[in-house]
Amino acid sequence: MGREWLLSMLVVSLGGLVLQAFSWFPPIKAGSTRGAEFERKAWLRLWCPIVPTLGIAAWLGGWTLTEPDPVHDRLGVWTLYAVWAPFAVIFARAAVRAVLALLRRPPDSGVSTIGFIRPQTVFSPFLAKQLDDTVIRAALAHERAHARHRDPLRIWLAQFVSDLQWPWPSAQRRLKAWLVALELVRDEEARESGVDGADLAAAVLATIRFLRQVPMGEPATFNGTLFAHAYLIGDSLVLRERVSRLLAPLPERAHGRAPGRLTFQVAVLVLVPVLVIAAMLGVVYGEQVMRALLALTS
C-alpha cells in the first residue's frame, strides 16, 4: 500500500476515533460572567476535542517520515477499510455541508453580517422602515462588531468542527453555547461604542419578529450570523437572558491586554510544542507502535 494513502487512512481512522472519544465534552454555562469571558471559554471548549486529533495526525506524520514507499508490511486491507469507512463518511458529510454553505445564497434575515474574507452588513429595507434611527444605529453597531472579528468565517469553521463530531449531540450543544456567547459579547462591544442597551434590545426584538415572518429555509446556513439568529428565534430562555443583559448596567471591562488575543497566543505557544513533540515521538517510536497496531488488522 502507498505510504501517503496509508497515512491518510490512518489519520482519518485513528483521528476520527479519538475525536469521537472526546466529543462528549459538555457545553459551558453562561453564569454571570462578562460576554467576552463566556465567549472565550465557549470557543475553547468547542475546539478541545480537536487537539488530541491533531496530536495523532502529527505523530502519524512523524512515523511516515521513517517509512519506505510503498509500505511493505502485510496489512489486513479490508479490516483497515472497514475501520476507515465510517469516519470517512462523517468527514465527507462535514465537507459537503461546508461547501454547500459557501455556495448557498443567504435568505433575507433583516440584518446580518455575511462574507468570509471581507464581511459586510446587510440591512433589509423592509425592516429598516419599522425602526427608529437610534435602533438602526444600535443594530449596525452590533453587526459591525461581527464584521471586525470576521465572525462569519468563525461560525463556518465552528460548524465544520461540530459536524466532524457527528452524531454526538454534545457537539451541537457546545456550538449553540458559543453562538449565544458570541451574540452577548458583540452586544457588549456595541454598547461600549456608545449604543444604548435599550435600543439594541429593541433592535433584537424587532429583528426576531421580522424573522418569524420571513421563511429562512434550513437553519444551518453558516452565512453571517443567521445560524445564531435561528437559535434565538426558537429559544425563549436565551432571548430573555440576552434582553435582560442589555437592560442591565454594562459590566466593567477587565484591565490588561485583550483576553481573546492573549488566549490565542497562549494556545499557539502550548499547541505548537506539543505537536512537534508528537511528531518526534512518531519518528522515534512510530515503527514499533505501528507494527503492533497493523498486526491487529492482518
Side-chain angles (χ1 to χ4, degrees):
M1 180 179 291
R3 181 178 57 187
E4 286 74 18
W5 176 240
L6 176 61
L7 174 64
S8 65
M9 291 186 67
L10 290 173
V11 168
V12 171
S13 302
L14 298 180
L17 184 62
V18 171
L19 182 59
Q20 291 291 316
F22 283 89
S23 295
W24 55 268
F25 269 51
I28 192 170
K29 296 183 179 180
S32 59
T33 59
R34 279 182 55 92
E37 183 180 354
F38 178 30
E39 190 271 339
R40 184 175 69 255
K41 291 180 179 179
W43 178 253
L44 291 177
R45 185 69 63 93
L46 191 69
W47 287 88
C48 277
I50 300 296
V51 176
T53 305
L54 294 177
I56 290 293
W59 183 84
L60 288 171
W63 164 74
T64 305
L65 296 177
T66 64
E67 283 297 297
D69 189 15
V71 178
H72 299 302
D73 296 275
R74 296 182 57 187
L75 303 176
V77 176
W78 294 113
T79 303
L80 191 59
Y81 270 104
V83 175
W84 168 82
F87 301 111
V89 170
I90 293 174
F91 181 85
R93 174 184 178 272
V96 169
R97 284 169 55 83
V99 171
L100 290 177
L102 295 175
L103 301 177
R104 186 182 293 117
R105 181 189 177 112
D108 188 357
S109 61
V111 56
S112 63
T113 303
I114 62 174
F116 296 102
I117 306 302
R118 294 181 179 178
Q120 57 182 341
T121 299
V122 177
F123 210 127
S124 170
F126 301 103
L127 175 61
K129 291 179 180 179
Q130 307 173 23
L131 306 178
D132 297 333
D133 290 344
T134 55
V135 177
I136 292 176
R137 285 196 293 270
L140 288 176
H142 174 93
E143 294 302 327
R144 285 166 182 162
H146 279 302
R148 282 196 302 272
H149 295 276
R150 290 184 171 84
D151 285 338
L153 178 60
R154 297 179 69 205
I155 292 173
W156 183 77
L157 291 172
Q159 180 61 59
F160 178 71
V161 168
S162 299
D163 281 342
L164 288 177
Q165 301 169 60
W166 182 82
W168 280 81
S170 55
Q172 290 300 318
R173 287 197 292 266
R174 288 197 309 274
L175 174 62
K176 177 181 177 179
W178 174 70
L179 289 172
V180 171
L182 188 64
E183 294 303 303
L184 296 180
V185 71
R186 299 302 172 247
D187 285 345
E188 290 181 358
E189 288 187 30
R191 294 177 66 187
E192 288 170 351
S193 68
V195 167
D196 186 81
D199 291 333
L200 189 50
V204 170
L205 296 175
T207 302
I208 290 177
R209 285 194 296 267
F210 178 81
L211 290 175
R212 284 174 173 166
Q213 301 170 2
V214 178
M216 290 183 60
E218 183 184 357
T221 57
F222 306 2
N223 291 296
T225 54
L226 300 185
F227 200 48
H229 287 330
Y231 274 129
L232 289 174
I233 292 175
D235 196 328
S236 59
L237 294 177
V238 171
L239 177 59
R240 189 179 300 116
E241 170 70 14
R242 185 179 181 188
V243 172
S244 66
R245 282 176 177 253
L246 287 172
L247 299 180
L250 186 64
E252 295 183 3
R253 174 185 285 274
H255 298 289
R257 302 179 65 181
R261 182 176 301 178
L262 182 61
T263 301
F264 176 77
Q265 293 174 350
V266 171
V268 171
L269 290 176
V270 172
L271 183 59
V272 171
V274 168
L275 296 181
V276 171
I277 292 173
M280 293 175 61
L281 290 175
V283 171
V284 178
Y285 300 106
E287 179 63 19
Q288 296 94 313
V289 176
M290 288 304 301
R291 284 186 180 277
L293 181 63
L294 295 176
L296 298 177
T297 65
S298 60

